[in-house]
Amino acid sequence: MTLKLSVIGCGYLGATHAACMSSLGFEVIGIDTDQSKVDLLSNGELPFYEPGLDTLLAAEMKTGRLSFTTDFSAVADADVHFICVGTPQSKDGLAADLTYVKSSVAAIAPFLKEGSLVVGKSTVPVGTAQLLRDQLSMTAPQADLAWNPEFLREGFAVEDTLTPNRLVVGVANDRAEEILKEVYKPIIDLGTPWIRADLPTAELVKVAANSFLATKISFINAMAEVCEAAGGDVTVLAKAIGYDPRIGSRFLQAGIGFGGGCLPKDIRAFMARAQELGADQALEFLREIDAINIRARQRVIDVVRADLSHDLTQYKIAVLGATFKPDSDDVRDSPALDIAAQLQEAGAQVVVHDPKGIEPARKRFPNLDYQEKVVDAVKGADAILHLTEWKEYRELDPSVIGQLVKSKFLIDGRNMLDRNKWRSAGWRVHALGRTD
Protein backbone atom coordinates (compact mmCIF):
# COMPACT_ATOMS: atom_id res chain seq x y z
CA MET A 1 0.00 0.00 0.00
CA THR A 2 1.36 3.42 -1.00
CA LEU A 3 1.74 5.83 1.89
CA LYS A 4 -0.36 8.99 1.96
CA LEU A 5 1.40 12.17 3.01
CA SER A 6 0.38 15.50 4.49
CA VAL A 7 2.43 18.68 4.50
CA ILE A 8 1.66 21.25 7.19
CA GLY A 9 2.65 24.74 6.13
CA CYS A 10 2.66 25.51 2.41
CA GLY A 11 5.14 28.32 2.17
CA TYR A 12 8.45 28.01 0.35
CA LEU A 13 9.52 24.74 2.01
CA GLY A 14 6.09 23.13 2.26
CA ALA A 15 4.88 23.88 -1.26
CA THR A 16 8.14 22.58 -2.69
CA HIS A 17 8.04 19.42 -0.58
CA ALA A 18 4.39 18.74 -1.39
CA ALA A 19 4.85 19.08 -5.15
CA CYS A 20 8.04 17.01 -5.16
CA MET A 21 6.52 14.20 -3.06
CA SER A 22 3.55 14.14 -5.40
CA SER A 23 5.91 13.81 -8.35
CA LEU A 24 7.31 10.67 -6.71
CA GLY A 25 3.83 9.14 -6.89
CA PHE A 26 2.47 9.86 -3.40
CA GLU A 27 -0.97 11.23 -2.64
CA VAL A 28 -0.26 14.51 -0.83
CA ILE A 29 -2.53 16.91 1.05
CA GLY A 30 -1.10 20.34 1.85
CA ILE A 31 -2.48 22.26 4.84
CA ASP A 32 -2.09 25.99 5.42
CA THR A 33 -4.05 28.52 7.49
CA ASP A 34 -3.76 31.18 4.75
CA GLN A 35 -6.82 30.78 2.49
CA SER A 36 -5.39 33.00 -0.25
CA LYS A 37 -2.25 30.88 -0.40
CA VAL A 38 -4.31 27.69 -0.55
CA ASP A 39 -6.44 29.13 -3.35
CA LEU A 40 -3.36 30.00 -5.41
CA LEU A 41 -1.75 26.60 -4.92
CA SER A 42 -5.03 24.84 -5.69
CA ASN A 43 -5.02 26.65 -9.04
CA GLY A 44 -1.49 25.45 -9.70
CA GLU A 45 0.00 28.88 -9.00
CA LEU A 46 2.81 29.83 -6.63
CA PRO A 47 2.63 32.69 -4.08
CA PHE A 48 6.41 33.14 -4.54
CA TYR A 49 9.05 32.70 -7.23
CA GLU A 50 11.13 29.53 -7.48
CA PRO A 51 12.56 28.35 -10.83
CA GLY A 52 10.96 25.14 -12.08
CA LEU A 53 8.54 24.74 -9.18
CA ASP A 54 5.69 26.49 -10.98
CA THR A 55 5.85 23.97 -13.83
CA LEU A 56 6.07 21.03 -11.44
CA LEU A 57 3.18 22.27 -9.29
CA ALA A 58 0.90 22.81 -12.29
CA ALA A 59 1.70 19.33 -13.61
CA GLU A 60 1.10 17.64 -10.25
CA MET A 61 -2.23 19.39 -9.70
CA LYS A 62 -3.45 17.80 -12.95
CA THR A 63 -2.62 14.29 -11.71
CA GLY A 64 -5.14 14.49 -8.88
CA ARG A 65 -2.53 13.31 -6.36
CA LEU A 66 -1.92 16.77 -4.91
CA SER A 67 -4.42 19.00 -3.13
CA PHE A 68 -4.44 21.88 -0.66
CA THR A 69 -6.85 22.96 2.09
CA THR A 70 -7.14 24.94 5.31
CA ASP A 71 -8.97 22.05 7.01
CA PHE A 72 -6.65 20.22 9.42
CA SER A 73 -9.02 17.26 9.62
CA ALA A 74 -8.02 16.46 6.04
CA VAL A 75 -4.82 14.88 7.40
CA ALA A 76 -6.80 12.02 8.99
CA ASP A 77 -6.12 9.59 6.13
CA ALA A 78 -2.41 10.40 5.89
CA ASP A 79 0.32 8.11 7.21
CA VAL A 80 3.21 10.59 7.32
CA HIS A 81 2.87 14.27 8.23
CA PHE A 82 5.65 16.75 7.35
CA ILE A 83 5.86 19.91 9.46
CA CYS A 84 7.17 22.67 7.17
CA VAL A 85 6.22 25.89 8.96
CA GLY A 86 8.48 28.85 9.64
CA THR A 87 10.58 29.46 12.74
CA PRO A 88 11.30 33.20 12.56
CA GLN A 89 13.50 35.08 14.98
CA SER A 90 11.63 36.14 18.10
CA LYS A 91 10.64 39.80 18.24
CA ASP A 92 12.18 40.21 21.69
CA GLY A 93 15.49 38.36 21.28
CA LEU A 94 17.74 36.09 19.21
CA ALA A 95 15.86 32.84 19.87
CA ALA A 96 13.65 31.13 17.31
CA ASP A 97 9.90 31.60 17.60
CA LEU A 98 8.42 28.09 17.78
CA THR A 99 4.79 29.20 17.81
CA TYR A 100 4.00 27.80 14.37
CA VAL A 101 5.76 24.49 14.93
CA LYS A 102 4.03 23.84 18.25
CA SER A 103 0.62 24.93 17.00
CA SER A 104 0.94 22.76 13.87
CA VAL A 105 1.66 19.61 15.85
CA ALA A 106 -1.15 20.44 18.27
CA ALA A 107 -3.57 21.07 15.39
CA ILE A 108 -3.03 17.68 13.71
CA ALA A 109 -2.80 15.65 16.94
CA PRO A 110 -6.58 14.99 17.18
CA PHE A 111 -6.63 13.57 13.65
CA LEU A 112 -3.57 11.31 13.72
CA LYS A 113 -4.36 7.68 13.03
CA GLU A 114 -2.75 4.59 14.54
CA GLY A 115 0.90 4.21 13.55
CA SER A 116 1.23 7.56 11.81
CA LEU A 117 4.51 9.46 11.84
CA VAL A 118 4.96 13.21 12.30
CA VAL A 119 8.16 14.43 10.65
CA GLY A 120 9.59 17.85 11.39
CA LYS A 121 11.45 19.59 8.58
CA SER A 122 11.49 23.09 10.05
CA THR A 123 14.77 24.42 11.46
CA VAL A 124 14.43 24.35 15.25
CA PRO A 125 16.63 24.73 18.35
CA VAL A 126 18.10 21.46 19.56
CA GLY A 127 15.77 19.78 22.04
CA THR A 128 12.58 20.87 20.27
CA ALA A 129 11.97 17.50 18.63
CA GLN A 130 12.13 15.58 21.89
CA LEU A 131 9.86 18.14 23.54
CA LEU A 132 7.29 17.74 20.77
CA ARG A 133 7.61 13.96 20.84
CA ASP A 134 6.95 13.94 24.59
CA GLN A 135 3.89 16.14 24.13
CA LEU A 136 2.64 13.97 21.26
CA SER A 137 2.92 10.88 23.46
CA MET A 138 0.26 12.47 25.67
CA THR A 139 -2.03 14.00 23.03
CA ALA A 140 -1.68 11.31 20.35
CA PRO A 141 0.06 8.23 21.80
CA GLN A 142 -0.83 6.27 18.67
CA ALA A 143 1.65 8.39 16.66
CA ASP A 144 5.42 8.95 16.68
CA LEU A 145 7.68 11.86 15.77
CA ALA A 146 10.95 12.10 13.83
CA TRP A 147 13.05 14.93 12.43
CA ASN A 148 14.23 15.32 8.85
CA PRO A 149 16.00 18.68 8.35
CA GLU A 150 15.80 20.38 4.96
CA PHE A 151 18.81 21.70 3.07
CA LEU A 152 17.15 23.63 0.27
CA ARG A 153 18.91 26.37 -1.65
CA GLU A 154 16.54 28.99 -2.98
CA GLY A 155 16.73 28.86 -6.75
CA PHE A 156 17.46 25.12 -6.64
CA ALA A 157 14.66 23.88 -4.37
CA VAL A 158 13.23 21.21 -6.69
CA GLU A 159 16.68 19.84 -7.47
CA ASP A 160 17.66 19.81 -3.80
CA THR A 161 14.47 17.97 -2.84
CA LEU A 162 14.54 15.30 -5.53
CA THR A 163 18.31 14.86 -5.84
CA PRO A 164 19.74 15.98 -2.46
CA ASN A 165 23.39 15.48 -1.55
CA ARG A 166 22.28 13.64 1.61
CA LEU A 167 19.21 12.65 3.59
CA VAL A 168 19.40 13.08 7.35
CA VAL A 169 16.75 11.56 9.61
CA GLY A 170 16.53 11.88 13.36
CA VAL A 171 14.58 8.94 14.77
CA ALA A 172 13.99 7.28 18.13
CA ASN A 173 13.38 3.78 16.78
CA ASP A 174 13.77 1.50 13.77
CA ARG A 175 10.14 1.74 12.72
CA ALA A 176 10.33 5.51 12.16
CA GLU A 177 13.44 5.03 10.04
CA GLU A 178 11.77 2.33 7.95
CA ILE A 179 8.78 4.58 7.24
CA LEU A 180 11.06 7.39 6.09
CA LYS A 181 13.06 4.96 3.95
CA GLU A 182 9.80 4.01 2.25
CA VAL A 183 8.96 7.67 1.61
CA TYR A 184 12.39 8.43 0.20
CA LYS A 185 13.02 5.13 -1.60
CA PRO A 186 13.09 6.69 -5.11
CA ILE A 187 15.70 9.18 -3.90
CA ILE A 188 17.71 6.59 -1.93
CA ASP A 189 17.78 4.40 -5.06
CA LEU A 190 19.69 7.19 -6.81
CA GLY A 191 22.58 6.53 -4.41
CA THR A 192 21.81 9.42 -2.05
CA PRO A 193 23.70 9.04 1.25
CA TRP A 194 21.37 8.12 4.13
CA ILE A 195 22.31 9.30 7.60
CA ARG A 196 20.41 8.05 10.62
CA ALA A 197 20.83 10.18 13.73
CA ASP A 198 19.18 10.69 17.08
CA LEU A 199 16.77 13.61 17.39
CA PRO A 200 19.21 16.17 18.85
CA THR A 201 21.90 15.43 16.25
CA ALA A 202 19.43 15.76 13.37
CA GLU A 203 18.41 19.18 14.67
CA LEU A 204 22.03 20.24 15.11
CA VAL A 205 23.05 19.15 11.60
CA LYS A 206 21.03 21.92 9.98
CA VAL A 207 22.13 24.77 12.23
CA ALA A 208 25.73 23.52 12.19
CA ALA A 209 25.72 23.48 8.37
CA ASN A 210 24.28 26.99 8.19
CA SER A 211 26.74 28.25 10.80
CA PHE A 212 29.65 26.83 8.83
CA LEU A 213 28.45 28.46 5.60
CA ALA A 214 27.94 31.76 7.39
CA THR A 215 31.44 31.49 8.83
CA LYS A 216 32.94 30.90 5.39
CA ILE A 217 31.13 33.90 3.91
CA SER A 218 32.07 36.22 6.75
CA PHE A 219 35.66 34.95 6.66
CA ILE A 220 36.14 35.98 3.03
CA ASN A 221 34.44 39.32 3.71
CA ALA A 222 36.86 39.89 6.59
CA MET A 223 39.69 39.12 4.15
CA ALA A 224 38.15 41.65 1.75
CA GLU A 225 38.47 44.33 4.42
CA VAL A 226 42.13 43.43 4.96
CA CYS A 227 42.79 43.33 1.20
CA GLU A 228 41.43 46.84 0.74
CA ALA A 229 43.56 48.11 3.64
CA ALA A 230 46.68 46.36 2.35
CA GLY A 231 46.24 46.94 -1.38
CA GLY A 232 45.41 43.35 -2.22
CA ASP A 233 42.75 41.58 -4.33
CA VAL A 234 40.33 39.35 -2.46
CA THR A 235 39.19 37.55 -5.61
CA VAL A 236 42.72 36.32 -6.31
CA LEU A 237 43.14 35.42 -2.64
CA ALA A 238 39.89 33.44 -2.68
CA LYS A 239 40.89 31.63 -5.86
CA ALA A 240 44.25 30.69 -4.41
CA ILE A 241 42.96 29.31 -1.11
CA GLY A 242 39.98 27.69 -2.81
CA TYR A 243 42.24 25.24 -4.62
CA ASP A 244 43.09 23.72 -1.26
CA PRO A 245 40.68 20.75 -0.99
CA ARG A 246 40.49 21.31 2.76
CA ILE A 247 38.97 24.72 2.08
CA GLY A 248 37.24 24.57 -1.31
CA SER A 249 36.05 27.45 -3.46
CA ARG A 250 32.34 27.43 -2.61
CA PHE A 251 31.03 30.37 -0.55
CA LEU A 252 34.27 32.31 -0.96
CA GLN A 253 32.70 35.14 -2.99
CA ALA A 254 33.42 38.36 -1.16
CA GLY A 255 30.68 40.95 -1.20
CA ILE A 256 27.91 42.46 0.90
CA GLY A 257 27.30 39.35 2.96
CA PHE A 258 24.55 36.81 3.49
CA GLY A 259 20.86 37.32 4.09
CA GLY A 260 17.59 35.49 3.52
CA GLY A 261 15.28 33.66 5.84
CA CYS A 262 17.77 31.07 7.09
CA LEU A 263 21.41 31.94 7.78
CA PRO A 264 21.00 35.16 9.80
CA LYS A 265 18.19 33.99 12.07
CA ASP A 266 19.56 30.43 12.35
CA ILE A 267 22.97 31.44 13.68
CA ARG A 268 21.32 33.85 16.14
CA ALA A 269 18.92 31.16 17.34
CA PHE A 270 21.87 28.75 17.63
CA MET A 271 23.69 31.21 19.91
CA ALA A 272 20.57 31.72 22.01
CA ARG A 273 20.04 27.98 22.43
CA ALA A 274 23.69 27.39 23.27
CA GLN A 275 23.39 29.96 26.03
CA GLU A 276 20.32 28.16 27.42
CA LEU A 277 22.33 24.93 27.43
CA GLY A 278 25.28 26.57 29.18
CA ALA A 279 27.47 26.15 26.09
CA ASP A 280 27.44 29.77 24.94
CA GLN A 281 31.25 30.09 24.90
CA ALA A 282 31.44 27.38 22.24
CA LEU A 283 29.52 29.61 19.82
CA GLU A 284 30.92 32.99 20.81
CA PHE A 285 32.65 33.19 17.42
CA LEU A 286 29.23 33.39 15.73
CA ARG A 287 28.72 36.84 17.24
CA GLU A 288 31.69 38.11 15.24
CA ILE A 289 30.44 36.26 12.14
CA ASP A 290 27.15 38.12 12.48
CA ALA A 291 28.95 41.42 13.11
CA ILE A 292 31.21 41.01 10.05
CA ASN A 293 28.13 40.29 7.96
CA ILE A 294 26.37 43.45 9.07
CA ARG A 295 29.60 45.44 8.64
CA ALA A 296 29.82 44.34 5.00
CA ARG A 297 26.64 46.29 4.32
CA GLN A 298 27.96 49.39 6.07
CA ARG A 299 31.15 49.26 3.99
CA VAL A 300 29.10 49.85 0.83
CA ILE A 301 27.51 52.94 2.37
CA ASP A 302 30.95 54.16 3.45
CA VAL A 303 32.25 53.79 -0.13
CA VAL A 304 29.27 55.75 -1.48
CA ARG A 305 29.89 58.58 0.97
CA ALA A 306 33.64 58.58 0.34
CA ASP A 307 33.09 59.04 -3.38
CA LEU A 308 30.03 61.28 -3.47
CA SER A 309 29.62 63.16 -0.19
CA HIS A 310 28.84 62.52 3.43
CA ASP A 311 25.65 64.46 2.75
CA LEU A 312 23.73 62.39 0.20
CA THR A 313 20.64 64.57 -0.09
CA GLN A 314 21.56 65.86 -3.56
CA TYR A 315 22.36 62.48 -5.08
CA LYS A 316 20.45 59.80 -6.93
CA ILE A 317 21.58 56.21 -6.41
CA ALA A 318 20.42 53.26 -8.50
CA VAL A 319 20.41 49.92 -6.68
CA LEU A 320 20.47 46.84 -8.88
CA GLY A 321 19.00 44.00 -6.85
CA ALA A 322 16.54 43.75 -3.97
CA THR A 323 16.50 40.02 -3.22
CA PHE A 324 19.10 38.40 -0.98
CA LYS A 325 20.22 36.17 -3.88
CA PRO A 326 19.39 35.72 -7.58
CA ASP A 327 16.71 33.34 -8.91
CA SER A 328 14.47 34.11 -5.95
CA ASP A 329 11.96 36.75 -4.91
CA ASP A 330 12.95 36.45 -1.24
CA VAL A 331 13.82 39.79 0.36
CA ARG A 332 13.97 38.59 3.97
CA ASP A 333 17.01 40.17 5.64
CA SER A 334 18.30 41.09 2.19
CA PRO A 335 21.62 42.97 2.37
CA ALA A 336 20.78 44.74 -0.91
CA LEU A 337 17.43 46.03 0.31
CA ASP A 338 18.89 46.97 3.69
CA ILE A 339 21.59 49.06 1.99
CA ALA A 340 18.98 50.74 -0.22
CA ALA A 341 16.84 51.62 2.79
CA GLN A 342 19.81 52.97 4.75
CA LEU A 343 20.90 55.18 1.84
CA GLN A 344 17.39 56.57 1.53
CA GLU A 345 17.34 57.21 5.27
CA ALA A 346 20.60 59.13 4.80
CA GLY A 347 18.82 61.44 2.37
CA ALA A 348 19.69 59.96 -1.02
CA GLN A 349 17.14 59.47 -3.76
CA VAL A 350 17.24 55.70 -4.14
CA VAL A 351 15.76 53.80 -7.09
CA VAL A 352 15.64 49.99 -6.91
CA HIS A 353 15.39 47.44 -9.69
CA ASP A 354 15.04 43.67 -9.38
CA PRO A 355 13.85 41.09 -11.92
CA LYS A 356 11.60 39.24 -9.46
CA GLY A 357 11.69 40.96 -6.08
CA ILE A 358 10.03 44.34 -6.58
CA GLU A 359 6.64 43.50 -5.10
CA PRO A 360 8.01 41.67 -2.02
CA ALA A 361 10.47 44.56 -1.56
CA ARG A 362 7.68 47.12 -1.86
CA LYS A 363 5.84 45.39 0.99
CA ARG A 364 8.94 45.65 3.18
CA PHE A 365 9.96 49.20 2.21
CA PRO A 366 7.02 50.94 0.50
CA ASN A 367 8.74 54.34 0.53
CA LEU A 368 11.56 53.31 -1.78
CA ASP A 369 11.28 54.09 -5.49
CA TYR A 370 11.04 50.97 -7.67
CA GLN A 371 11.41 50.66 -11.43
CA GLU A 372 10.48 47.68 -13.59
CA LYS A 373 13.21 48.41 -16.15
CA VAL A 374 16.92 48.82 -15.52
CA VAL A 375 17.16 51.76 -17.91
CA ASP A 376 14.53 53.66 -15.91
CA ALA A 377 16.24 52.87 -12.62
CA VAL A 378 19.67 54.16 -13.69
CA LYS A 379 18.50 57.27 -15.54
CA GLY A 380 20.24 60.33 -14.07
CA ALA A 381 21.98 58.31 -11.33
CA ASP A 382 25.13 59.59 -9.61
CA ALA A 383 26.10 56.03 -8.68
CA ILE A 384 25.02 52.50 -9.51
CA LEU A 385 25.22 49.78 -6.85
CA HIS A 386 25.26 46.19 -8.09
CA LEU A 387 24.01 44.29 -5.03
CA THR A 388 22.33 41.06 -6.25
CA GLU A 389 24.11 38.97 -8.87
CA TRP A 390 21.28 38.45 -11.35
CA LYS A 391 22.43 37.22 -14.76
CA GLU A 392 20.83 40.16 -16.54
CA TYR A 393 23.06 42.59 -14.65
CA ARG A 394 26.18 40.78 -15.85
CA GLU A 395 24.88 41.15 -19.41
CA LEU A 396 24.33 44.90 -19.23
CA ASP A 397 26.18 47.01 -21.80
CA PRO A 398 28.18 49.62 -19.84
CA SER A 399 28.32 51.91 -22.88
CA VAL A 400 24.53 52.00 -23.14
CA ILE A 401 24.09 52.46 -19.39
CA GLY A 402 26.76 55.16 -19.43
CA GLN A 403 24.60 57.32 -21.73
CA LEU A 404 21.77 57.29 -19.19
CA VAL A 405 23.52 58.13 -15.92
CA LYS A 406 24.70 61.46 -14.56
CA SER A 407 27.99 60.02 -13.32
CA LYS A 408 29.76 56.81 -14.37
CA PHE A 409 30.41 55.45 -10.92
CA LEU A 410 29.76 51.78 -10.16
CA ILE A 411 30.10 49.80 -6.93
CA ASP A 412 30.17 46.07 -7.56
CA GLY A 413 29.00 44.67 -4.24
CA ARG A 414 29.15 41.09 -5.51
CA ASN A 415 32.41 41.06 -7.47
CA MET A 416 30.60 39.55 -10.44
CA LEU A 417 30.85 42.21 -13.14
CA ASP A 418 33.62 42.49 -15.74
CA ARG A 419 35.57 45.46 -14.38
CA ASN A 420 37.70 45.81 -17.50
CA LYS A 421 34.63 46.06 -19.72
CA TRP A 422 33.07 48.73 -17.53
CA ARG A 423 36.31 50.67 -17.16
CA SER A 424 36.89 50.57 -20.91
CA ALA A 425 33.51 52.29 -21.24
CA GLY A 426 34.73 55.11 -18.97
CA TRP A 427 33.36 53.92 -15.65
CA ARG A 428 34.98 54.28 -12.26
CA VAL A 429 34.49 50.88 -10.63
CA HIS A 430 34.86 50.03 -6.95
CA ALA A 431 34.73 46.29 -6.28
CA LEU A 432 34.73 45.29 -2.61
CA GLY A 433 38.07 43.84 -1.50
CA ARG A 434 39.91 44.90 -4.67
CA THR A 435 42.18 47.93 -4.84
CA ASP A 436 43.62 47.93 -8.36
Side-chain angles (χ1 to χ4, degrees), residues 248-261:
S249 60
R250 300 288 303 275
F251 287 84
L252 285 183
Q253 187 72 40
I256 60 174
F258 55 82

Side-chain angles (χ1 to χ4, degrees), residues 131-195:
L131 175 67
L132 293 171
R133 188 167 185 265
D134 291 343
Q135 292 177 350
L136 201 61
S137 68
M138 294 183 286
T139 58
Q142 73 279 17
D144 195 7
L145 183 138
W147 218 261
N148 169 219
E150 57 86 13
F151 301 101
L152 302 190
R153 297 167 297 162
E154 293 194 30
F156 302 91
V158 173
E159 175 187 336
D160 288 346
T161 302
L162 296 175
T163 56
N165 50 31
R166 80 283 206 193
L167 283 165
V168 178
V169 296
V171 296
N173 51 62
D174 293 341
R175 183 178 180 277
E177 182 184 20
E178 289 308 312
I179 292 173
L180 284 168
K181 278 187 173 179
E182 186 175 347
V183 171
Y184 289 123
K185 185 179 185 304
I187 298 174
I188 296 171
D189 288 346
L190 298 174
T192 306
W194 178 267
I195 301 171

Side-chain angles (χ1 to χ4, degrees), residues 261-425:
C262 292
L263 261 61
K265 63 101 176 171
D266 284 355
I267 65 170
R268 292 164 191 161
F270 200 11
M271 286 188 283
R273 183 57 178 146
Q275 185 170 19
E276 292 171 355
L277 294 170
D280 49 312
Q281 286 189 325
L283 297 185
E284 192 63 35
F285 73 98
L286 287 180
R287 297 190 187 280
E288 185 58 29
I289 297 305
D290 200 15
I292 292 170
N293 191 53
I294 297 300
R295 194 160 67 241
R297 306 176 186 189
Q298 184 58 47
R299 287 174 59 225
V300 174
I301 297 169
D302 291 343
V303 171
V304 171
R305 282 187 155 137
D307 190 274
L308 299 181
S309 169
H310 187 77
D311 181 3
L312 297 175
T313 53
Q314 302 301 314
Y315 296 93
K316 177 180 179 180
I317 299 171
V319 172
L320 302 185
T323 57
F324 86 96
K325 65 177 293 186
D327 298 317
S328 169
D329 64 352
D330 194 344
V331 299
R332 290 176 295 174
D333 208 347
S334 165
L337 199 54
D338 184 28
I339 290 168
Q342 287 193 56
L343 286 170
Q344 185 197 49
E345 205 171 285
Q349 178 191 354
V350 180
V351 184
V352 180
H353 174 271
D354 191 279
K356 296 292 181 181
I358 288 181
E359 289 313 310
R362 200 192 304 274
K363 291 177 182 177
R364 287 284 306 277
F365 294 100
N367 294 328
L368 285 170
D369 184 5
Y370 299 93
Q371 292 293 333
E372 299 285 345
K373 297 179 180 178
V374 173
V375 290
D376 293 330
V378 303
K379 198 171 296 180
D382 296 285
I384 292 179
L385 277 54
H386 171 239
L387 301 183
T388 308
E389 61 271 35
W390 286 94
K391 181 182 178 183
E392 73 174 74
Y393 298 151
R394 296 198 298 272
E395 296 174 346
L396 290 174
D397 186 333
S399 298
V400 172
I401 301 299
Q403 296 174 11
L404 301 171
V405 298
K406 184 177 179 181
S407 175
K408 293 183 179 181
F409 175 48
L410 169 72
I411 298 177
D412 185 2
R414 294 296 185 178
N415 277 308
M416 293 296 289
L417 302 181
D418 186 336
R419 288 189 305 163
N420 292 333
K421 185 170 74 170
W422 283 80
R423 284 174 173 171
S424 295

Side-chain angles (χ1 to χ4, degrees), residues 1-5 75 77-81 113 115-118:
M1 182 184 73
T2 304
L3 295 172
K4 293 184 179 180
L5 314 180
V75 308
D77 290 335
D79 304 285
V80 184
H81 310 267
K113 68 181 183 180
S116 58
L117 181 66
V118 177

Side-chain angles (χ1 to χ4, degrees), residues 86-88 90 96-103 123-125 128 131:
T87 53
S90 297
D97 182 350
L98 299 177
T99 302
Y100 303 116
V101 172
K102 291 178 178 178
S103 61
T123 304
V124 295
T128 303
L131 175 67

